[in-house]
Amino acid sequence: MLGRTAIEPRARGGLDWARDRLALTKENEMIKHELIDDVLEIQISRPEKRNALTHEMYDEMRELLLKYGRGESARAILFYGSEGIFSAGADLEDFKKPRKPGESHGIQFIRALASCEVPIIAAVEGFAVGIGATMLLHCDFVYTTEECKFRFPFVALGLCPEAGSTYLLEKLVGPRRAVDWLMSCRYIYGDEAYESGFVTALTEAGATLEKARQRAIELIKFPSSSVNATKRLMKGHYKDKLTHVIDREVEEFNSKLETGETQSLVSKGTN
């Protein structure tokens, strides 16, 4: 675990910074992170499985959000995927295992993401599927390409949408389009995602990370108290509603996951 609890602007020296950078460069790490100039970058790095997320990966990202998302140790957080892919969503192998009592690793991660006090930026290329797409609903800025594909495949797997998507998606793209995306399980390309308001802007392929970093640099030039207060005020009026929606989704999702029909569909799927 990292020892530093606060980073001064542009602080790059010392053992703690070296440890942060080492976390990004370890080849066997599936969640890599780097803290530079008050911006925490989190890379999803499991390319052999198209960056599908495991329980351990959720836990690592949640710990990073809890540590750096309060505005004391970082002023912005940036997510991106390795090798031109954002994420194929949850590793379907984990859906085949018996669930332990309590909330899933994925939902604990989503709750940490939703409660993050600093701006969250995502650079999305290739595709974002399942929770790889719904987590973007909790990001403040999302940059992608025309060719990128998004998909909410829950109904096709005998499940229901999660991460508050049954509420947040409608707020972003409107009720008709939200119903289409969530019930048809079709792919949505970047141009439609942009036109609908699901993402912030389009870039050329290979340029989303650069654009996201530029946005982060711009944000940390402003007083962090003002940036964070703006986010808090914009999201605060529906905070309780979102919590209730996620609770209901969790109940429905867990009940469906245990059925034979869903397990049959999940067993046929691959990441």
Side-chain angles (χ1 to χ4, degrees):
M1 299 299 295
L2 304 179
R4 170 168 276 179
T5 58
I7 298 289
E8 295 300 321
R10 306 195 68 81
R12 291 176 175 267
L15 179 59
D16 290 316
W17 181 84
R19 286 172 179 163
D20 273 354
R21 187 167 186 83
L22 181 60
L24 184 65
T25 57
K26 286 182 179 178
E27 292 184 358
N28 61 341
E29 293 289 340
M30 293 186 288
I31 297 297
K32 304 177 181 180
H33 67 280
E34 184 174 18
L35 182 62
I36 300 180
D37 298 341
D38 283 345
V39 178
L40 177 70
E41 294 190 1
I42 300 176
Q43 183 194 70
I44 304 170
S45 183
R46 197 186 177 207
E48 72 281 4
K49 287 290 187 177
R50 305 195 298 176
N51 293 335
L53 300 166
T54 66
H55 292 171
E56 294 75 18
M57 294 167 75
Y58 290 130
D59 290 346
E60 289 184 47
M61 291 190 292
R62 175 178 174 272
E63 289 181 11
L64 289 169
L65 290 169
L66 293 177
K67 179 170 184 175
Y68 291 98
R70 299 293 176 257
E72 298 174 356
S73 303
R75 296 175 65 183
I77 296 174
L78 191 162
F79 283 93
Y80 67 103
S82 65
E83 299 193 17
I85 297 172
F86 190 70
S87 176
D91 189 325
L92 293 181
E93 291 299 316
D94 287 337
F95 284 169
K96 303 172 187 178
K97 303 173 184 176
R99 282 286 176 100
K100 296 179 180 179
E103 291 196 331
S104 70
H105 299 260
I107 290 301
Q108 291 180 52
F109 159 65
I110 288 295
R111 291 197 192 274
L113 192 67
S115 64
C116 187
E117 297 178 22
V118 303
I120 303 174
I121 309 164
V124 185
E125 299 214 18
F127 50 82
V129 176
I131 197 170
T134 57
M135 68 175 283
L136 301 176
L137 293 165
H138 301 277
C139 296
D140 303 292
F141 300 88
V142 179
Y143 298 101
T144 192
T145 68
E146 288 187 358
E147 300 81 10
C148 186
K149 294 188 290 187
F150 303 85
R151 189 181 183 222
F152 305 87
F154 307 103
V155 170
L157 291 170
L159 296 166
C160 71
E162 36 79 303
S165 57
T166 55
Y167 174 65
L168 293 178
L169 189 61
E170 180 178 331
K171 283 177 64 67
L172 276 181
V173 307
R176 294 295 186 189
R177 188 162 276 170
V179 167
D180 175 23
W181 291 10
L182 292 178
M183 289 191 181
S184 72
C185 303
R186 68 180 177 87
Y187 281 104
I188 300 102
Y189 282 86
D191 53 355
E192 182 181 354
Y194 173 63
E195 185 272 331
S196 69
F198 183 66
V199 302
T200 305
L202 298 177
T203 73
E204 296 295 325
T208 58
L209 184 55
E210 179 184 357
K211 179 64 176 178
R213 284 171 171 163
Q214 289 175 352
R215 174 59 67 193
I217 291 171
E218 293 167 356
L219 287 172
I220 65 175
K221 291 178 181 177
F222 301 137
S224 59
S225 61
S226 296
V227 173
N228 297 348
T230 301
K231 174 172 180 172
R232 184 171 61 253
L233 290 167
M234 293 183 71
K235 295 181 179 292
H237 66 91
Y238 62 81
K239 180 179 179 181
D240 292 341
K241 171 69 173 180
L242 178 60
T243 299
H244 174 72
V245 169
I246 293 176
D247 290 345
R248 288 290 296 115
E249 290 173 347
V250 167
E251 293 176 11
E252 194 73 32
F253 191 99
N254 288 345
S255 66
K256 289 187 173 353
L257 185 59
E258 296 175 354
T259 65
E261 180 182 35
T262 296
Q263 284 298 314
S264 176
L265 292 168
V266 167
S267 66
K268 299 173 184 176
T270 59
N271 288 114

CSV table of all heavy atoms in Angstrom, one decimal, residues 173-217:
chain,number,residue,atom,x,y,z
A,173,VAL,N,-29.5,10.7,-21.4
A,173,VAL,CA,-29.8,10.5,-22.8
A,173,VAL,C,-31.3,10.5,-23.1
A,173,VAL,O,-31.7,10.5,-24.2
A,173,VAL,CB,-29.3,9.2,-23.3
A,173,VAL,CG1,-27.8,9.1,-23.1
A,173,VAL,CG2,-30.0,7.9,-22.7
A,174,GLY,N,-32.2,10.6,-22.0
A,174,GLY,CA,-33.6,10.7,-22.2
A,174,GLY,C,-34.2,9.3,-22.1
A,174,GLY,O,-33.6,8.3,-22.3
A,175,PRO,N,-35.5,9.3,-21.8
A,175,PRO,CA,-36.2,8.0,-21.5
A,175,PRO,C,-36.3,7.0,-22.7
A,175,PRO,O,-36.1,5.8,-22.5
A,175,PRO,CB,-37.6,8.4,-21.0
A,175,PRO,CG,-37.8,9.8,-21.5
A,175,PRO,CD,-36.4,10.4,-21.5
A,176,ARG,N,-36.6,7.5,-23.9
A,176,ARG,CA,-36.8,6.6,-25.0
A,176,ARG,C,-35.4,6.0,-25.4
A,176,ARG,O,-35.4,4.8,-25.6
A,176,ARG,CB,-37.3,7.4,-26.2
A,176,ARG,CG,-38.7,8.0,-26.1
A,176,ARG,CD,-39.7,6.8,-26.0
A,176,ARG,NE,-41.1,7.3,-26.0
A,176,ARG,CZ,-42.1,6.6,-25.7
A,176,ARG,NH1,-42.0,5.3,-25.5
A,176,ARG,NH2,-43.3,7.1,-25.8
A,177,ARG,N,-34.4,6.8,-25.4
A,177,ARG,CA,-33.1,6.2,-25.8
A,177,ARG,C,-32.6,5.3,-24.7
A,177,ARG,O,-31.9,4.2,-24.9
A,177,ARG,CB,-32.1,7.3,-26.0
A,177,ARG,CG,-30.8,6.9,-26.6
A,177,ARG,CD,-30.1,8.1,-27.3
A,177,ARG,NE,-30.5,8.3,-28.6
A,177,ARG,CZ,-30.2,9.3,-29.3
A,177,ARG,NH1,-29.4,10.3,-28.8
A,177,ARG,NH2,-30.6,9.5,-30.6
A,178,ALA,N,-32.8,5.6,-23.4
A,178,ALA,CA,-32.4,4.8,-22.3
A,178,ALA,C,-33.0,3.4,-22.4
A,178,ALA,O,-32.4,2.4,-22.2
A,178,ALA,CB,-32.6,5.4,-21.0
A,179,VAL,N,-34.3,3.4,-22.7
A,179,VAL,CA,-35.0,2.1,-22.8
A,179,VAL,C,-34.5,1.3,-24.0
A,179,VAL,O,-34.2,0.1,-23.8
A,179,VAL,CB,-36.5,2.4,-23.0
A,179,VAL,CG1,-37.2,1.1,-23.5
A,179,VAL,CG2,-37.2,2.9,-21.8
A,180,ASP,N,-34.2,2.0,-25.1
A,180,ASP,CA,-33.6,1.3,-26.2
A,180,ASP,C,-32.3,0.7,-25.9
A,180,ASP,O,-32.0,-0.5,-26.1
A,180,ASP,CB,-33.4,2.3,-27.4
A,180,ASP,CG,-32.7,1.7,-28.6
A,180,ASP,OD1,-32.7,0.5,-28.8
A,180,ASP,OD2,-32.1,2.5,-29.3
A,181,TRP,N,-31.4,1.4,-25.3
A,181,TRP,CA,-30.0,1.0,-25.0
A,181,TRP,C,-30.1,-0.2,-23.9
A,181,TRP,O,-29.3,-1.2,-24.1
A,181,TRP,CB,-29.2,2.1,-24.4
A,181,TRP,CG,-28.8,3.1,-25.5
A,181,TRP,CD1,-29.3,3.3,-26.7
A,181,TRP,CD2,-27.9,4.2,-25.3
A,181,TRP,NE1,-28.8,4.3,-27.4
A,181,TRP,CE2,-27.9,4.9,-26.5
A,181,TRP,CE3,-27.1,4.6,-24.3
A,181,TRP,CZ2,-27.1,6.1,-26.7
A,181,TRP,CZ3,-26.3,5.7,-24.4
A,181,TRP,CH2,-26.3,6.4,-25.7
A,182,LEU,N,-30.9,0.0,-22.9
A,182,LEU,CA,-30.9,-1.0,-21.8
A,182,LEU,C,-31.6,-2.3,-22.2
A,182,LEU,O,-31.3,-3.4,-21.7
A,182,LEU,CB,-31.5,-0.4,-20.6
A,182,LEU,CG,-30.7,0.7,-19.9
A,182,LEU,CD1,-31.4,1.2,-18.7
A,182,LEU,CD2,-29.3,0.2,-19.5
A,183,MET,N,-32.7,-2.2,-23.0
A,183,MET,CA,-33.5,-3.4,-23.3
A,183,MET,C,-33.1,-4.1,-24.6
A,183,MET,O,-33.2,-5.3,-24.7
A,183,MET,CB,-35.0,-3.0,-23.4
A,183,MET,CG,-35.6,-2.7,-22.1
A,183,MET,SD,-37.4,-2.5,-22.2
A,183,MET,CE,-37.8,-2.1,-20.5
A,184,SER,N,-32.5,-3.4,-25.6
A,184,SER,CA,-32.1,-4.0,-26.8
A,184,SER,C,-30.7,-4.7,-26.7
A,184,SER,O,-30.4,-5.6,-27.5
A,184,SER,CB,-32.1,-3.0,-28.0
A,184,SER,OG,-31.0,-2.1,-27.8
A,185,CYS,N,-29.9,-4.2,-25.8
A,185,CYS,CA,-28.6,-4.7,-25.6
A,185,CYS,C,-27.7,-4.5,-26.8
A,185,CYS,O,-26.7,-5.2,-27.0
A,185,CYS,CB,-28.6,-6.2,-25.2
A,185,CYS,SG,-29.6,-6.5,-23.7
A,186,ARG,N,-28.1,-3.6,-27.7
A,186,ARG,CA,-27.3,-3.4,-28.9
A,186,ARG,C,-26.0,-2.6,-28.6
A,186,ARG,O,-25.9,-2.0,-27.6
A,186,ARG,CB,-28.1,-2.7,-30.0
A,186,ARG,CG,-28.5,-1.2,-29.6
A,186,ARG,CD,-29.4,-0.6,-30.7
A,186,ARG,NE,-29.8,0.7,-30.4
A,186,ARG,CZ,-29.1,1.8,-30.7
A,186,ARG,NH1,-27.9,1.7,-31.2
A,186,ARG,NH2,-29.6,3.0,-30.4
A,187,TYR,N,-25.1,-2.6,-29.6
A,187,TYR,CA,-23.9,-1.7,-29.5
A,187,TYR,C,-24.3,-0.3,-29.9
A,187,TYR,O,-25.0,0.0,-30.8
A,187,TYR,CB,-22.8,-2.2,-30.4
A,187,TYR,CG,-22.1,-3.4,-29.8
A,187,TYR,CD1,-22.3,-4.7,-30.3
A,187,TYR,CD2,-21.1,-3.2,-28.8
A,187,TYR,CE1,-21.6,-5.8,-29.8
A,187,TYR,CE2,-20.4,-4.3,-28.3
A,187,TYR,CZ,-20.7,-5.6,-28.8
A,187,TYR,OH,-20.0,-6.7,-28.2
A,188,ILE,N,-23.7,0.6,-29.1
A,188,ILE,CA,-23.9,2.1,-29.4
A,188,ILE,C,-22.5,2.6,-29.8
A,188,ILE,O,-21.6,2.4,-29.0
A,188,ILE,CB,-24.4,2.8,-28.2
A,188,ILE,CG1,-25.8,2.3,-27.7
A,188,ILE,CG2,-24.5,4.3,-28.4
A,188,ILE,CD1,-25.7,1.4,-26.5
A,189,TYR,N,-22.4,3.2,-30.9
A,189,TYR,CA,-21.1,3.7,-31.4
A,189,TYR,C,-20.9,5.1,-30.8
A,189,TYR,O,-21.8,5.8,-30.4
A,189,TYR,CB,-21.0,3.7,-32.9
A,189,TYR,CG,-20.8,2.4,-33.5
A,189,TYR,CD1,-21.8,1.5,-33.8
A,189,TYR,CD2,-19.5,1.9,-33.7
A,189,TYR,CE1,-21.6,0.2,-34.3
A,189,TYR,CE2,-19.2,0.7,-34.3
A,189,TYR,CZ,-20.3,-0.2,-34.5
A,189,TYR,OH,-20.1,-1.4,-35.0
A,190,GLY,N,-19.6,5.5,-30.8
A,190,GLY,CA,-19.2,6.8,-30.2
A,190,GLY,C,-20.0,8.0,-30.7
A,190,GLY,O,-20.3,8.9,-29.9
A,191,ASP,N,-20.3,8.0,-32.0
A,191,ASP,CA,-21.0,9.2,-32.5
A,191,ASP,C,-22.4,9.3,-31.9
A,191,ASP,O,-22.8,10.4,-31.6
A,191,ASP,CB,-21.0,9.2,-34.1
A,191,ASP,CG,-21.6,7.9,-34.6
A,191,ASP,OD1,-21.8,6.9,-33.9
A,191,ASP,OD2,-21.7,7.8,-35.9
A,192,GLU,N,-23.1,8.2,-31.8
A,192,GLU,CA,-24.4,8.2,-31.2
A,192,GLU,C,-24.3,8.6,-29.7
A,192,GLU,O,-25.1,9.3,-29.1
A,192,GLU,CB,-25.1,6.9,-31.3
A,192,GLU,CG,-26.5,6.9,-30.7
A,192,GLU,CD,-27.3,5.6,-30.9
A,192,GLU,OE1,-26.7,4.7,-31.5
A,192,GLU,OE2,-28.4,5.5,-30.3
A,193,ALA,N,-23.2,8.0,-29.0
A,193,ALA,CA,-23.0,8.3,-27.6
A,193,ALA,C,-22.8,9.8,-27.4
A,193,ALA,O,-23.3,10.4,-26.4
A,193,ALA,CB,-21.8,7.5,-27.1
A,194,TYR,N,-22.1,10.4,-28.3
A,194,TYR,CA,-21.8,11.8,-28.2
A,194,TYR,C,-23.1,12.7,-28.5
A,194,TYR,O,-23.4,13.6,-27.7
A,194,TYR,CB,-20.7,12.2,-29.1
A,194,TYR,CG,-20.5,13.7,-29.2
A,194,TYR,CD1,-20.1,14.5,-28.1
A,194,TYR,CD2,-20.7,14.4,-30.4
A,194,TYR,CE1,-19.9,15.8,-28.1
A,194,TYR,CE2,-20.5,15.8,-30.5
A,194,TYR,CZ,-20.1,16.5,-29.3
A,194,TYR,OH,-20.0,17.9,-29.4
A,195,GLU,N,-23.8,12.3,-29.5
A,195,GLU,CA,-25.0,13.0,-29.9
A,195,GLU,C,-26.0,13.0,-28.8
A,195,GLU,O,-26.8,13.9,-28.6
A,195,GLU,CB,-25.5,12.5,-31.2
A,195,GLU,CG,-26.7,13.2,-31.8
A,195,GLU,CD,-28.0,12.7,-31.3
A,195,GLU,OE1,-28.1,11.5,-30.9
A,195,GLU,OE2,-29.0,13.5,-31.2
A,196,SER,N,-26.0,11.9,-28.1
A,196,SER,CA,-27.1,11.7,-27.1
A,196,SER,C,-26.7,12.3,-25.7
A,196,SER,O,-27.6,12.5,-24.9
A,196,SER,CB,-27.3,10.2,-26.8
A,196,SER,OG,-26.1,9.6,-26.2
A,197,GLY,N,-25.4,12.7,-25.6
A,197,GLY,CA,-25.0,13.3,-24.3
A,197,GLY,C,-24.4,12.3,-23.4
A,197,GLY,O,-24.1,12.7,-22.2
A,198,PHE,N,-24.2,11.1,-23.8
A,198,PHE,CA,-23.6,10.1,-22.9
A,198,PHE,C,-22.1,10.3,-22.7
A,198,PHE,O,-21.6,10.0,-21.6
A,198,PHE,CB,-23.8,8.7,-23.5
A,198,PHE,CG,-23.3,7.6,-22.7
A,198,PHE,CD1,-23.9,7.3,-21.5
A,198,PHE,CD2,-22.2,6.8,-23.1
A,198,PHE,CE1,-23.4,6.2,-20.7
A,198,PHE,CE2,-21.7,5.7,-22.3
A,198,PHE,CZ,-22.3,5.4,-21.1
A,199,VAL,N,-21.4,10.9,-23.7
A,199,VAL,CA,-20.0,11.2,-23.5
A,199,VAL,C,-19.8,12.7,-23.7
A,199,VAL,O,-20.7,13.4,-24.3
A,199,VAL,CB,-19.1,10.4,-24.5
A,199,VAL,CG1,-19.3,8.9,-24.3
A,199,VAL,CG2,-19.4,10.8,-25.9
A,200,THR,N,-18.7,13.2,-23.3
A,200,THR,CA,-18.4,14.7,-23.3
A,200,THR,C,-18.0,15.1,-24.7
A,200,THR,O,-18.5,16.2,-25.2
A,200,THR,CB,-17.3,15.0,-22.3
A,200,THR,OG1,-17.6,14.5,-21.0
A,200,THR,CG2,-17.0,16.5,-22.3
A,201,ALA,N,-17.1,14.4,-25.3
A,201,ALA,CA,-16.5,14.8,-26.6
A,201,ALA,C,-15.9,13.6,-27.3
A,201,ALA,O,-15.5,12.6,-26.7
A,201,ALA,CB,-15.5,15.9,-26.4
A,202,LEU,N,-15.7,13.8,-28.7
A,202,LEU,CA,-15.1,12.8,-29.5
A,202,LEU,C,-13.7,13.3,-29.8
A,202,LEU,O,-13.4,14.5,-30.0
A,202,LEU,CB,-15.8,12.6,-30.8
A,202,LEU,CG,-17.3,12.0,-30.6
A,202,LEU,CD1,-17.9,11.9,-32.0
A,202,LEU,CD2,-17.3,10.7,-29.9
A,203,THR,N,-12.7,12.3,-29.9
A,203,THR,CA,-11.4,12.6,-30.4
A,203,THR,C,-11.0,11.6,-31.5
A,203,THR,O,-11.7,10.7,-31.8
A,203,THR,CB,-10.4,12.5,-29.2
A,203,THR,OG1,-10.2,11.1,-29.0
A,203,THR,CG2,-10.8,13.2,-28.0
A,204,GLU,N,-9.9,11.9,-32.1
A,204,GLU,CA,-9.3,10.9,-33.0
A,204,GLU,C,-8.9,9.6,-32.2
A,204,GLU,O,-8.6,9.7,-31.0
A,204,GLU,CB,-8.1,11.5,-33.7
A,204,GLU,CG,-8.4,12.7,-34.6
A,204,GLU,CD,-9.3,12.3,-35.8
A,204,GLU,OE1,-9.2,11.2,-36.3
A,204,GLU,OE2,-10.2,13.1,-36.1
A,205,ALA,N,-8.9,8.5,-32.9
A,205,ALA,CA,-8.5,7.3,-32.3
A,205,ALA,C,-7.0,7.4,-31.8
A,205,ALA,O,-6.2,8.0,-32.4
A,205,ALA,CB,-8.5,6.1,-33.3
A,206,GLY,N,-6.8,7.0,-30.6
A,206,GLY,CA,-5.5,7.1,-29.9
A,206,GLY,C,-5.3,8.4,-29.2
A,206,GLY,O,-4.2,8.5,-28.6
A,207,ALA,N,-6.2,9.3,-29.2
A,207,ALA,CA,-6.0,10.6,-28.6
A,207,ALA,C,-6.9,10.9,-27.4
A,207,ALA,O,-6.8,12.0,-26.8
A,207,ALA,CB,-6.3,11.7,-29.7
A,208,THR,N,-7.7,9.9,-27.0
A,208,THR,CA,-8.5,10.1,-25.8
A,208,THR,C,-7.8,10.4,-24.6
A,208,THR,O,-8.2,11.2,-23.7
A,208,THR,CB,-9.5,9.0,-25.6
A,208,THR,OG1,-8.8,7.8,-25.4
A,208,THR,CG2,-10.4,8.8,-26.8
A,209,LEU,N,-6.7,9.7,-24.3
A,209,LEU,CA,-5.9,9.8,-23.1
A,209,LEU,C,-5.3,11.2,-23.0
A,209,LEU,O,-5.3,11.9,-22.0
A,209,LEU,CB,-4.9,8.7,-23.0
A,209,LEU,CG,-4.1,8.8,-21.7
A,209,LEU,CD1,-5.0,8.7,-20.4
A,209,LEU,CD2,-3.1,7.6,-21.6
A,210,GLU,N,-4.8,11.7,-24.1
A,210,GLU,CA,-4.2,13.0,-24.2
A,210,GLU,C,-5.2,14.1,-23.9
A,210,GLU,O,-5.0,15.0,-23.1
A,210,GLU,CB,-3.6,13.2,-25.6
A,210,GLU,CG,-3.0,14.6,-25.7
A,210,GLU,CD,-2.5,14.9,-27.1
A,210,GLU,OE1,-2.5,14.0,-28.0
A,210,GLU,OE2,-2.0,16.0,-27.4
A,211,LYS,N,-6.4,13.9,-24.5
A,211,LYS,CA,-7.5,14.9,-24.2
A,211,LYS,C,-7.9,14.8,-22.8
A,211,LYS,O,-8.2,15.9,-22.2
A,211,LYS,CB,-8.7,14.5,-25.1
A,211,LYS,CG,-9.9,15.4,-25.0
A,211,LYS,CD,-9.6,16.9,-25.4
A,211,LYS,CE,-10.8,17.7,-25.3
A,211,LYS,NZ,-10.6,19.1,-25.6
A,212,ALA,N,-8.0,13.7,-22.2
A,212,ALA,CA,-8.4,13.5,-20.8
A,212,ALA,C,-7.4,14.2,-19.9
A,212,ALA,O,-7.7,14.8,-18.9
A,212,ALA,CB,-8.6,12.1,-20.4
A,213,ARG,N,-6.1,14.0,-20.2
A,213,ARG,CA,-5.0,14.6,-19.4
A,213,ARG,C,-5.1,16.1,-19.5
A,213,ARG,O,-4.8,16.8,-18.6
A,213,ARG,CB,-3.7,14.1,-19.9
A,213,ARG,CG,-3.4,12.6,-19.4
A,213,ARG,CD,-2.2,12.0,-20.0
A,213,ARG,NE,-1.8,10.8,-19.4
A,213,ARG,CZ,-1.0,9.9,-19.9
A,213,ARG,NH1,-0.5,10.1,-21.1
A,213,ARG,NH2,-0.7,8.8,-19.3
A,214,GLN,N,-5.4,16.6,-20.7
A,214,GLN,CA,-5.5,18.1,-20.9
A,214,GLN,C,-6.6,18.6,-20.0
A,214,GLN,O,-6.5,19.7,-19.4
A,214,GLN,CB,-5.8,18.4,-22.3
A,214,GLN,CG,-4.6,18.2,-23.3
A,214,GLN,CD,-5.0,18.4,-24.7
A,214,GLN,OE1,-6.1,18.6,-25.1
A,214,GLN,NE2,-4.0,18.4,-25.6
A,215,ARG,N,-7.7,17.9,-20.0
A,215,ARG,CA,-8.9,18.4,-19.1
A,215,ARG,C,-8.5,18.4,-17.6
A,215,ARG,O,-8.8,19.3,-16.9
A,215,ARG,CB,-10.1,17.5,-19.3
A,215,ARG,CG,-11.2,17.7,-18.4
A,215,ARG,CD,-11.7,19.2,-18.5
A,215,ARG,NE,-12.3,19.4,-19.8
A,215,ARG,CZ,-12.7,20.6,-20.3
A,215,ARG,NH1,-12.4,21.7,-19.6
A,215,ARG,NH2,-13.2,20.7,-21.5
A,216,ALA,N,-7.7,17.3,-17.2
A,216,ALA,CA,-7.3,17.3,-15.8
A,216,ALA,C,-6.4,18.4,-15.5
A,216,ALA,O,-6.5,19.0,-14.4
A,216,ALA,CB,-6.6,15.9,-15.6
A,217,ILE,N,-5.5,18.7,-16.4
A,217,ILE,CA,-4.5,19.9,-16.2
A,217,ILE,C,-5.3,21.2,-16.0
A,217,ILE,O,-5.0,22.0,-15.2
A,217,ILE,CB,-3.5,19.9,-17.3
A,217,ILE,CG1,-2.6,18.7,-17.2
A,217,ILE,CG2,-2.7,21.3,-17.2
A,217,ILE,CD1,-1.6,18.6,-18.4
